[in-house]
Amino acid sequence: MAMFIFITVLQVLLGVFFLFTGSKIISGGMADEFKRFGLPSFFNVLTGSFEIVGAIGMIAGIWLPYLAFWAGLLLGGTMLAGAFTLIVLAKDPIQKAIPALVLFILSLIVSLVHFL
């Protein structure tokens, strides 16, 4: 029961977080960062859309666990790509990628719980 509560709370937190950040990205709030990475402007819409779709799947996954599985993979992959971009393309110190790596791990935890 404790695991169920933990995973449900985690899904809600991830869902709310990614709804917020996805909306910020899609609205151009991080356009300068994407430009700094050398990415074309459509990556704002693509990344923001992945985060919003993943957030909706994460929340809906409370009732439909297969959605949480797929949402966790989508968000985890997005965060892994973000960490890679920060470290390899932008040549930022690894400390800047820690939030993305933590979100990657948390998203994968949700997927693994719903896979097993």
Side-chain angles (χ1 to χ4, degrees):
M1 183 63 167
M3 179 62 99
F4 173 76
I5 292 170
F6 172 75
I7 292 300
T8 301
V9 169
L10 181 57
Q11 284 178 236
V12 169
L13 291 174
L14 287 171
V16 169
F17 176 80
F18 281 111
L19 274 175
F20 174 76
T21 59
S23 299
K24 181 179 178 182
I25 292 169
I26 234 170
S27 69
M30 293 183 64
D32 290 339
E33 280 291 293
F34 281 79
K35 190 179 292 183
R36 181 174 76 91
F37 302 148
L39 299 172
S41 60
F42 77 86
F43 267 82
N44 289 316
V45 175
L46 183 66
T47 304
S49 297
F50 283 173
E51 290 192 10
I52 290 170
V53 167
I56 292 167
M58 196 60 74
I59 293 169
I62 294 168
W63 299 277
L64 302 168
Y66 71 93
L67 289 178
F69 169 76
W70 290 109
L73 290 181
L74 176 64
L75 293 172
T78 302
M79 290 299 96
L80 189 59
F84 176 84
T85 300
L86 286 169
I87 296 166
V88 176
L89 295 182
K91 298 188 184 343
D92 285 346
I94 197 160
Q95 291 85 351
K96 275 196 86 173
I98 289 174
L101 292 171
V102 169
L103 290 166
F104 161 72
I105 291 167
L106 293 174
S107 297
L108 284 187
I109 287 171
V110 171
S111 285
L112 284 173
V113 165
H114 290 293
F115 179 73
L116 302 175

